[in-house]
Amino acid sequence: MRSSGFLTSISFVLSAFALFVSIGVAAEDETLDTSKLPRVSGTNNIFASPSSTIFTAPGAVAETADGTVAALKAAGWQPYAPAFGEQIKSPTMAIANLKKGATGLSVFITVAPAQNNATSVTYSGVINANDLPFPKDATDIKFDGDRPFLSCVTSGNLAATSDFLRTELIARGWSPWSVKDNAKSAYADEKTEKGLYAYYVRDAGKPLILVLQSAEDGKTTVKIETVPAEVLHPAAKTEAAKAPEPAPAPAAKAQDKVGDAIDDLAASIIKQAQQSVADSMPGAKPAAADKADKASDEPSEALTVLDGNRAPIPVPSTAADIDFDGASGKLEFNSSSGIKQIAAFYRSQMKTLGWSEEKSVINQANMVVLSFQKGEQDLSLTLMKMGDAVNVSASGSALEKPEATEEASASSDAASAAANEPEKELESEDAGGLPVPKEHSLSGSEQSMFRHGANASVPAKFSSVLAFYRRELGKRDWKEDTSKSVIKDDAAEIHYATADGPAVLKLGRANGETTVALSVREDDKAKKSGMMAKPGQTKLLIGNFLETEAVITIAGKTIKVPAGAGKNGPDGPTLEVAPGKYPYKLKGAAGAGPNDPVEVGADEIWGLMIGPGGVLPVQMY
């Protein structure tokens, strides 16, 4: 495709691809029809379908963005800002994200040079991996469906807001968790001086903590985010301790209005954890207030890194009883240093290694939770005061690496790190009727007239992904054609015979992950359609998405393509060609000019759709 008019081509590619291919990124709510959603006045449809709709609007990008969001809000959609990024909005492009119940919507607005500089608007349904409920009147919403994370402000009081969120979270599969009972509970709210907090768990993923706090203006601030599982089981941390001396945490300065690390919450968490410890250990009693918390007296000198450390992250020189398991991504040790020293050590060391710290709601003198992020990797550390020592437990993908010294880890590049990752058996999930590894950073499915497939990017070793597909495809009785298959150290193309027709699995490496492209050609459907070319040839089906006639010259033929041809099916002109690369020229279309050639193989069917950005080739068989 052409490199010019890139932003225009984005909208065109989405629309044309949706015509020939059903993209596996539709909204979770099957009733969503993006073509019927509210919009600004004076629009002109380019493409419309339930999962994706594109239209032009008469106003500028900023005006259209404001009007579009206002129209959607009036229909009950709630806009939100990225929790860990910047909202994109410029004179030439804007992106808005909205949610209505569990249904997500992405709105992409940009200038379309191919449409005489009109403003193009794209509605696309979105699936949130982890949906969190928004109060109906929520403002200042920040949301991330992957982490998950939510912060907002509501006019509801503490009790009403907690009741609403509890009901909605339970409906989404979460259960309240009682730290004191160490079990799920129907109600687990813990009141604080200015609000309340509660833990929630479900079968998969990290636990959540819900924090509510009364603001000075009478409103309630809401924050929901993940916490380490260790926070739910404080008693287990002390069973091996000789002389636990839990103590109440002192007050500290209040923070932002969303209650990030608010003092009364953190103090209550510590107090509850200490009481749980005392209840579980006969004879253990919380320390008196005048003996509590020696953190303020901790020495201020910086800790050094332990020599000979086998874990892939730094460990302080005062660490003892180190237990590291690279296969499960767990690290635990005790230290004679204070919590403040250890927290400062990790903040400094991880920053030096290129990690970014994420704020935590638990940051007190007796207990600190640290969270770090670097690209797709994450690391969580929980520091808890246990008598005269501090227990440190760490988990996350950062620990799922080969055991190496700090110097070796820092100097290794992404490729060598990926090559040395421990082998692991990947779990499977469905994408368009085909298997993809559950532990993916990106996945999707496609369905054309005579072909379906799945794509994914997986943060795992190449060999692990290859083993996954040989296992999963073997379960489906797919037969590998070893005469056509090619397997290298970091790439593979494996051909299969299936009940539906021939299939191809392509694996590669990109950006430190394993890429997957799996496709199946549906023989019977293609042959019965009468659209197959002669053996060894390829059939081209040509469509025109424009409102005016277009002329395409390809393979030595000049073909007139009526406006709207191919919109409702393969009713446009066709052409049979031999395998090869075919440059083409357009007339009567905005995409006229130099174009990348279309490359086709033998016994294939391709759709060529003419639109505002040029020609989009889509393999249909």
Side-chain angles (χ1 to χ4, degrees):
M1 291 302 293
R2 304 170 57 208
S3 59
S4 60
F6 176 71
L7 292 178
T8 302
S9 296
I10 290 177
S11 294
F12 167 59
V13 167
L14 286 173
S15 59
F17 201 61
L19 176 67
F20 277 127
V21 181
S22 297
I23 303 175
V25 190
E28 191 174 53
D29 186 350
E30 295 295 337
T31 63
L32 175 66
D33 187 344
T34 61
S35 67
K36 298 179 180 179
L37 292 177
R39 59 178 75 173
V40 296
S41 60
T43 62
N44 180 33
N45 267 6
I46 299 297
F47 171 77
S49 77
S51 62
S52 182
T53 294
I54 302 176
F55 55 88
T56 58
V61 168
E63 176 188 352
T64 302
D66 292 342
T68 300
V69 171
L72 290 167
K73 284 178 65 176
W77 290 87
Q78 294 177 278
Y80 62 86
F84 305 102
E86 297 295 328
Q87 187 80 45
I88 296 177
K89 190 172 184 181
S90 72
T92 59
M93 184 171 67
I95 297 177
N97 297 294
L98 304 96
K99 200 164 75 73
K100 186 176 184 180
T103 304
L105 179 69
S106 174
V107 181
F108 176 65
I109 306 169
T110 187
V111 174
Q115 295 288 336
N116 296 320
N117 287 325
T119 297
S120 171
V121 182
T122 301
Y123 286 166
S124 300
V126 174
I127 293 176
N128 290 308
N130 297 281
D131 180 55
L132 294 177
F134 295 0
K136 298 298 183 183
D137 66 341
T139 59
D140 300 329
I141 306 173
K142 291 186 177 181
F143 173 65
D144 188 311
D146 292 325
R147 299 293 178 111
F149 176 93
L150 170 66
S151 68
C152 63
V153 178
T154 175
S155 60
N157 59 36
L158 290 172
T161 302
S162 177
D163 288 346
F164 167 79
L165 294 172
R166 185 186 315 107
T167 300
E168 293 296 322
L169 286 170
I170 290 174
R172 288 161 171 78
W174 295 91
S175 299
W177 178 269
S178 170
V179 172
K180 183 176 181 180
D181 296 335
N182 197 35
K184 294 179 181 179
S185 174
Y187 178 92
D189 288 3
E190 294 291 337
K191 290 182 171 55
T192 65
E193 182 180 348
K194 298 179 182 178
L196 60 83
Y197 69 93
Y199 294 114
Y200 287 85
V201 298
R202 65 180 179 185
D203 293 339
K206 292 182 178 180
L208 295 180
I209 184 170
L210 162 67
V211 180
L212 302 182
Q213 187 179 20
S214 297
E216 294 180 357
D217 56 4
K219 296 182 178 180
T220 299
T221 61
V222 179
K223 188 170 186 179
I224 303 176
E225 65 177 323
T226 58
V227 292
E230 292 89 343
V231 175
L232 305 186
H233 312 285
K237 286 289 182 185
T238 63
E239 292 178 358
K242 294 182 178 179
E245 296 181 7
K253 185 178 179 180
Q255 307 220 358
D256 62 67
K257 72 174 184 177
V258 183
D260 186 40
I262 50 178
D263 299 306
D264 57 339
L265 165 66
S268 295
I269 293 174
I270 297 300
K271 183 177 181 180
Q272 184 181 25
Q274 292 163 350
Q275 189 59 53
S276 178
V277 170
D279 292 344
S280 65
M281 298 186 66
K285 297 180 179 180
D290 58 352
K291 297 181 180 180
D293 225 339
K294 302 177 182 178
S296 60
D297 300 324
E298 289 180 6
S300 58
E301 64 266 17
L303 298 175
T304 58
V305 177
L306 178 68
D307 291 333
N309 168 38
R310 297 170 57 245
I313 64 170
V315 171
S317 56
T318 57
D321 305 321
I322 301 174
D323 182 9
F324 169 60
D325 184 353
S328 62
K330 301 288 186 182
L331 170 67
E332 185 168 1
F333 61 87
N334 295 317
S335 173
S336 57
S337 300
I339 282 185
K340 284 186 178 181
Q341 279 184 295
I342 300 173
F345 169 84
Y346 276 106
R347 288 186 173 113
S348 173
Q349 291 292 325
M350 301 311 289
K351 182 178 180 181
T352 301
L353 295 174
W355 290 74
S356 300
E357 184 180 2
E358 298 177 357
K359 292 181 179 180
S360 168
V361 296
I362 302 176
N363 184 22
Q364 273 286 26
N366 274 17
M367 181 178 183
V368 171
V369 174
L370 301 174
S371 297
F372 298 95
Q373 195 81 18
K374 183 179 181 182
E376 296 297 327
Q377 289 188 301
D378 65 276
L379 175 68
S380 177
L381 298 106
T382 302
L383 287 55
M384 292 185 68
K385 182 72 172 176
M386 297 294 174
D388 294 331
V390 172
N391 176 267
V392 179
S393 59
S395 62
S397 59
L399 296 170
E400 298 174 2
K401 289 193 174 276
E403 300 173 10
T405 62
E406 178 190 359
E407 292 78 15
S409 295
S411 63
S412 62
D413 57 22
S416 63
N420 291 321
E421 287 176 357
E423 292 280 359
K424 56 183 177 181
E425 184 171 312
L426 302 173
E427 297 182 38
S428 178
E429 71 176 25
D430 184 271
L434 295 172
V436 296
K438 190 173 183 179
E439 299 177 13
H440 58 258
S441 60
L442 186 68
S443 75
S445 62
E446 59 183 63
Q447 175 73 55
S448 62
M449 294 178 67
F450 316 115
R451 183 175 178 270
H452 65 278
N455 303 277
S457 183
V458 185
K461 289 181 64 175
F462 174 84
S463 57
S464 296
V465 179
L466 177 59
F468 165 85
Y469 275 103
R470 281 189 158 151
R471 182 185 75 241
E472 293 299 321
L473 298 180
K475 292 178 182 178
R476 297 171 180 238
D477 201 28
W478 287 23
K479 305 299 183 184
E480 182 177 341
D481 185 347
T482 55
S483 65
K484 296 181 180 179
S485 300
V486 178
I487 301 176
K488 301 178 181 179
D489 290 340
D490 58 355
E493 181 174 313
I494 305 177
H495 293 254
Y496 291 91
T498 79
D500 292 329
V504 179
L505 169 67
K506 295 182 180 180
L507 302 179
R509 292 290 296 179
N511 301 319
E513 296 191 353
T514 300
T515 58
V516 178
L518 177 60
S519 61
V520 182
R521 294 199 289 178
E522 301 168 9
D523 271 357
D524 287 344
K525 289 174 63 177
K527 291 174 181 177
K528 291 176 181 178
S529 71
M531 297 182 190
M532 290 289 291
K534 296 176 182 178
Q537 298 287 98
T538 290
K539 178 71 70 70
L540 303 181
L541 310 179
I542 306 172
N544 182 6
F545 215 66
L546 302 173
E547 297 180 353
T548 57
E549 180 184 78
V551 179
I552 183 171
T553 300
I554 186 170
K557 304 285 186 180
T558 299
I559 303 169
K560 293 182 179 180
V561 189
K567 271 192 173 183
N568 301 313
D571 58 358
T574 64
L575 180 66
E576 285 194 17
V577 298
K581 291 184 179 181
Y582 292 92
Y584 60 88
K585 292 182 180 179
L586 285 176
K587 291 183 180 179
N595 293 277
D596 294 334
V598 177
E599 185 173 4
V600 298
D603 303 315
E604 295 177 348
I605 300 176
W606 283 77
L608 303 182
M609 178 56 70
I610 301 169
V615 171
L616 176 69
V618 178
Q619 186 176 0
M620 303 172 67
Y621 174 79

